Amino acid sequence: MKILLIEDSPEIVKGVSLTFKLRWPDAEVISAGDGATGIRMVEEESPDIVILDINLPDTTGFEVLDSVRLFSDVPIIILTVRDDEVDELRGLEMGADDYIVKPFSPANLLIRVKAVLRRAGVQSAPDMEIPPLVIGNTTVNFATKEVFLDN
């Protein structure tokens, strides 16, 4: 699975990349720090999904979305700090598949990516199942919504 992240914040790029690598180690996360590069990468890299910020240094995510929709139906999730309902409706009306507001939960992002890819019929990481997260003696099973401490 190839994920294109169009985002100008290095911290967000690092966090999202880590989120995918922890859950789906075979996922390839590529990134673009501005809209023009992002549009070019959609054409050249053929990602399975695009995660797009609205606030970019050279243009808006809405303009990127509009440009991409002229030549591609790649699934796109908007990931932005802009929590205005008008922005959300605009993005969805323009062809985004989902809209997530920062700050966000990594688990929420993964589940939404999984849902968007499933609706788009995209095959990705094995079964797109999120394996249990183990930290020390604590295990979080996302599939069963259970948390275990010392088994």
Side-chain angles (χ1 to χ4, degrees), residues 14-148:
K14 185 177 179 181
V16 169
S17 296
L18 182 60
T19 295
F20 283 109
K21 286 297 181 185
L22 287 173
R23 294 289 121 223
W24 301 317
D26 294 334
E28 178 185 359
V29 180
I30 56 176
S31 64
D34 60 73
T37 304
I39 293 167
R40 189 180 77 250
M41 289 180 76
V42 171
E43 289 180 292
E44 295 173 359
E45 299 287 338
S46 299
D48 295 302
I49 190 164
V50 174
I51 300 174
L52 173 64
D53 189 13
I54 291 177
N55 300 319
L56 297 169
D58 62 337
T59 186
T60 70
F62 296 123
E63 291 169 339
V64 172
L65 176 60
D66 198 38
S67 294
V68 169
R69 284 295 175 244
L70 293 175
F71 66 87
S72 177
D73 60 355
V74 63
I76 298 175
I77 296 177
I78 294 175
L79 181 64
T80 182
V81 296
R82 293 170 66 162
D83 64 353
D84 184 34
E85 182 181 26
V86 173
D87 287 331
E88 180 177 357
L89 296 175
R90 179 179 177 194
L92 295 170
E93 182 68 26
M94 291 178 69
D97 297 278
D98 204 346
Y99 191 101
I100 303 172
V101 177
K102 299 172 191 171
F104 60 95
S105 152
N108 188 310
L109 174 63
L110 292 169
I111 292 299
R112 287 174 182 248
V113 166
K114 179 180 174 182
V116 167
L117 290 173
R118 182 179 58 243
R119 286 192 304 269
V122 175
Q123 285 296 325
S124 57
D127 295 338
M128 292 292 294
E129 292 299 321
I130 299 175
L133 175 63
V134 179
I135 301 172
N137 61 349
T138 304
T139 302
V140 180
N141 187 324
F142 295 103
T144 62
K145 298 180 182 174
E146 296 176 307
V147 177
F148 297 94

